[in-house]
Amino acid sequence: MRKALFAFGVSLFFALTASGHPGSGIVVDRNGTVYFVDTGSGIYRVDRGGKVTPVAGPAFHWMALDGEGRFAKTRWPSIPNAEFRRAAGNPALVMSSDFPVAIGHDGALHFAREGRLMKVAPDGSASAAAVLPGAVRWVNGLTSGPDGSLYYTEDRAVRRIRAKGTIETIAGNVTVRPCRRIPGSEGNAYLRGLHVMANGTIYVTASGCGALLKIAPDGVVTTVFRTEPPWSPTDVTAWGDTLYVLEYLHTVSDPEDRREWIPRVRRVEPGGRMSIIATVKR
């Protein structure tokens, strides 16, 4: 019993103190319902009528939509200081404390750790899917594309992993000028969450500069919009041609207080009209 309590305490400690940045998890189901993570309090749902309600689940950093319920009974691999957990519901969400996650066209859950792309099958078996190029310490965002590839972000780059494991750069050395410095950032683009549209266009959040970027299929990068600091986007998803962007109020405090990181969701319609559809109140 004491060992179980100790293990729970360690898990909770790391769930609460793992990484010093707001969450990066927003998804939308086939019905247009938006789910997003609040690193300070948990998970929320926004229905098409704009009603915001809490959803039972952990206040982790990343999420993936398990629309087919493949991972309902998965026994997750044990990783030191990290945890995967399923948030019950229909559809279900897979929550990750320390690594960006994405469910690929192969039906496996993918995440990046220690320079490798890993995948977990619904039966819980884990294997390495690809070796990431260069001295990659952190992958900031991960998503599945319409062509069966996986796409991920580093601080200044977006890369694609083909189904056979080959990796290519979509956009490298990405900069945002002028960069609106966000508290807690290092003054670079700090690319995080991303979404790939059916035509190959990529939308990616430049959290370090408070901007949402668009990367055309030919690699040309343009800015869609900028936030006013200390607000900054951390992830983006889409339902049809409408974008939903998760933004956070960035703060720097000692000791770190996650409840100061207040999230909101911005909707960007195809014609460019924008509105804030949800803000979590403390």
Side-chain angles (χ1 to χ4, degrees), residues 128-218:
V131 177
L132 305 183
V136 179
R137 184 180 180 188
W138 299 111
V139 165
N140 303 330
L142 181 68
T143 193
S144 177
D147 59 353
S149 299
L150 291 166
Y151 295 73
Y152 70 92
T153 57
E154 300 171 16
D155 284 359
R156 297 177 182 269
V158 176
R159 306 191 198 278
R160 174 168 54 200
I161 307 174
R162 296 285 192 180
K164 294 184 179 181
T166 58
I167 300 175
E168 57 192 9
T169 299
I170 301 298
N173 195 28
V174 175
T175 58
V176 180
R177 294 193 177 94
C179 178
R180 296 179 178 178
R181 181 68 180 270
I182 303 300
S185 72
E186 298 177 355
N188 61 34
Y190 185 32
L191 305 181
R192 293 194 69 191
L194 72 168
H195 181 83
V196 185
M197 306 295 279
N199 65 358
T201 298
I202 300 171
Y203 291 94
V204 58
T205 56
S207 296
C209 296
L212 178 70
L213 306 180
K214 175 183 177 180
I215 305 177
D218 60 4

Side-chain angles (χ1 to χ4, degrees), residues 73-87:
K73 298 181 180 180
T74 301
R75 185 170 182 174
W76 302 107
S78 177
I79 301 175
N81 306 337
E83 184 179 357
F84 301 108
R85 194 185 303 174
R86 184 176 182 270

Side-chain angles (χ1 to χ4, degrees), residues 22-263:
S24 178
I26 185 169
V27 297
V28 58
D29 68 15
R30 60 173 61 94
N31 298 316
T33 301
V34 177
Y35 298 82
F36 67 95
V37 64
D38 172 10
T39 322
S41 65
I43 305 167
Y44 289 85
R45 174 178 58 234
V46 188
D47 67 22
R48 292 183 62 184
K51 183 180 179 181
V52 182
T53 54
V55 176
F60 286 171
H61 279 78
W62 290 276
M63 67 165 56
L65 183 69
D66 182 17
E68 305 300 324
R70 294 188 178 98
F71 296 89
K73 298 181 180 180
T74 301
R75 185 170 182 174
W76 302 107
S78 177
I79 301 175
N81 306 337
E83 184 179 357
F84 301 108
R85 194 185 303 174
R86 184 176 182 270
N90 184 22
L93 304 169
V94 177
M95 308 301 297
S96 172
S97 64
D98 283 62
F99 312 110
V101 287
I103 296 177
H105 288 261
D106 59 359
L109 179 80
H110 297 259
F111 68 96
R113 175 175 180 257
E114 296 179 349
R116 292 177 181 270
L117 178 74
M118 307 295 295
K119 66 178 182 179
V120 181
D123 64 6
S125 58
S127 60
V131 177
L132 305 183
V136 179
R137 184 180 180 188
W138 299 111
V139 165
N140 303 330
L142 181 68
T143 193
S144 177
D147 59 353
S149 299
L150 291 166
Y151 295 73
Y152 70 92
T153 57
E154 300 171 16
D155 284 359
R156 297 177 182 269
V158 176
R159 306 191 198 278
R160 174 168 54 200
I161 307 174
R162 296 285 192 180
K164 294 184 179 181
T166 58
I167 300 175
E168 57 192 9
T169 299
I170 301 298
N173 195 28
V174 175
T175 58
V176 180
R177 294 193 177 94
C179 178
R180 296 179 178 178
R181 181 68 180 270
I182 303 300
S185 72
E186 298 177 355
N188 61 34
Y190 185 32
L191 305 181
R192 293 194 69 191
L194 72 168
H195 181 83
V196 185
M197 306 295 279
N199 65 358
T201 298
I202 300 171
Y203 291 94
V204 58
T205 56
S207 296
C209 296
L212 178 70
L213 306 180
K214 175 183 177 180
I215 305 177
D218 60 4
V220 175
V221 181
T222 55
T223 299
V224 178
F225 70 83
R226 297 172 184 266
T227 57
E228 289 295 331
W231 287 99
S232 183
T234 64
D235 199 6
V236 57
T237 189
W239 189 59
D241 292 329
T242 300
L243 303 177
Y244 292 91
V245 185
L246 177 62
E247 302 174 2
Y248 269 90
L249 183 71
H250 282 239
T251 63
V252 179
S253 58
D254 188 17
E256 178 183 293
D257 184 357
R258 290 188 172 202
R259 290 186 62 80
E260 291 183 355
W261 298 334
I262 298 174

